[in-house]
Amino acid sequence: MSTSSHQITGHTRIFGILADPIHHVKTPQGLNALMQRVGYDGVLVPLHASADDLASVVAGLRLLRNLGGFIVTVPHKTTVVDLCDEVSESARLIGAVNTIRRAADGRLVGEMLDGHGFVAGLRQNGIQPAGRSAYLAGAGGAANAIAFALAQAGVSRLTIANRTRAKAEDLASRLAGAFPTLHVDIGSPDPSGHDLVVNATSLGLKEGDPLPLDASRLTADQTVAEIIMQPATTALLAAAQARGCRTQPGQPMLDCQLELMAKFVGMEP
């Protein structure tokens, strides 16, 4: 049955998205439209949860018998791994989860789809990672997923730059174990010398945020990609466009994940 906000009943399956802040999320619009399109009686709502309250919130959610699952975004993707009863092998290796299915017995099963969505979004716009050198700003949950997905997609070289060097080194070590032939470096804020430049941090989400890298070093032959969806044109993308770079906004990463998310949590008519 098709559903909308005017047709929610006691039969409607509930889904949520956990974030802090919550104002920027775009997943509810996308997944609610998808459920309506395929005739699934469900609704996805934003749930504002702080890092301090996350464990309590998740403990409560698992008790809701009409909850189908939830999406997890900044800043909870790494913390929520240990709150799941089971995660996929790839999510465990990545160290982050962004989609969780609630089983009938209340068990929480997690998966990480950010990387798959990011690479699919690139390919959808004619950007093929294979054989390219990539610079990745960040080493958090989304960055980990994207790093593994870029490695799987066949990048020739990957440079990881993060404010906390130890986190970059930890990611590089796990990548080396999974992809022993991939050349991985620990980088600086300078993104020069790479074909693909990716911001996988949350910098740019808030007005006045510093840039995640030294945009003055960007050159017109580079492609600069974002994971932030709002604003659609971040300060980094604006700076990249001013320097003649090809740019990729964050929205395609989500668009390419929607069906994967829906299938994982069981949104089937």
Side-chain angles (χ1 to χ4, degrees):
M1 133 176 191
S2 176
T3 187
S4 73
S5 59
H6 301 293
Q7 299 171 314
I8 295 172
T9 71
H11 297 287
T12 302
R13 201 78 172 148
I14 307 299
F15 300 87
I17 177 168
L18 297 175
D20 182 24
I22 198 76
H23 69 273
H24 63 287
V25 296
K26 298 290 188 181
T27 310
Q29 298 93 307
L31 276 178
N32 283 323
L34 185 152
M35 285 187 276
Q36 188 164 13
R37 189 167 64 246
V38 302
Y40 181 82
D41 185 7
V43 62
L44 176 69
V45 296
L47 304 172
H48 191 178
S50 72
D52 289 342
D53 295 332
L54 183 64
S56 298
V57 170
V58 170
L61 287 174
R62 72 162 69 233
L63 301 178
L64 299 178
R65 297 189 178 186
N66 61 344
L67 184 86
F70 48 97
I71 311 302
V72 183
T73 188
V74 175
H76 304 314
K77 294 179 185 181
T78 54
T79 309
V80 81
V81 173
D82 291 334
L83 302 179
C84 293
D85 299 296
E86 177 187 340
V87 301
S88 70
E89 183 178 350
S90 62
R92 181 69 66 187
L93 191 60
I94 291 165
V97 157
N98 79 329
T99 307
I100 295 173
R101 176 177 68 247
R102 182 192 181 277
D105 61 0
R107 297 179 74 256
L108 300 179
V109 183
E111 180 59 282
M112 185 49 158
L113 300 172
D114 273 342
H116 300 297
F118 180 79
V119 168
L122 291 178
R123 288 174 171 156
Q124 187 179 72
N125 289 313
I127 303 166
Q128 295 296 338
R132 296 189 176 206
S133 59
Y135 172 98
L136 181 68
N144 273 258
I146 289 168
F148 275 85
L150 287 173
Q152 189 173 31
V155 294
S156 60
R157 177 168 60 96
L158 180 63
T159 298
I160 305 164
N162 192 63
R163 286 176 294 182
T164 307
R165 184 181 176 89
K167 290 183 69 176
E169 290 174 341
D170 175 64
L171 172 54
S173 176
R174 283 180 283 116
L175 282 168
F179 302 93
T181 62
L182 176 65
H183 185 84
V184 182
D185 293 316
I186 305 300
S188 70
D190 180 1
S192 61
H194 297 81
D195 302 313
L196 176 64
V197 176
V198 182
N199 175 34
T201 77
S202 60
L203 292 175
L205 192 57
K206 300 175 185 174
E207 188 175 349
D209 276 349
L211 291 177
L213 51 87
D214 185 355
S216 71
R217 303 289 293 173
L218 294 170
T219 53
D221 58 339
Q222 293 177 303
T223 296
V224 179
E226 266 285 7
I227 68 166
I228 291 171
M229 293 163 217
Q230 187 176 322
T233 301
T234 61
L236 175 62
L237 292 186
Q241 290 166 0
R243 298 188 70 81
C245 301
R246 180 177 183 178
T247 59
Q248 169 91 347
Q251 187 67 38
M253 181 176 83
L254 173 61
D255 292 342
C256 290
Q257 283 190 81
L258 291 177
E259 290 190 9
L260 295 173
M261 288 175 166
K263 183 176 181 181
F264 184 77
V265 298
M267 292 179 186
E268 296 176 352

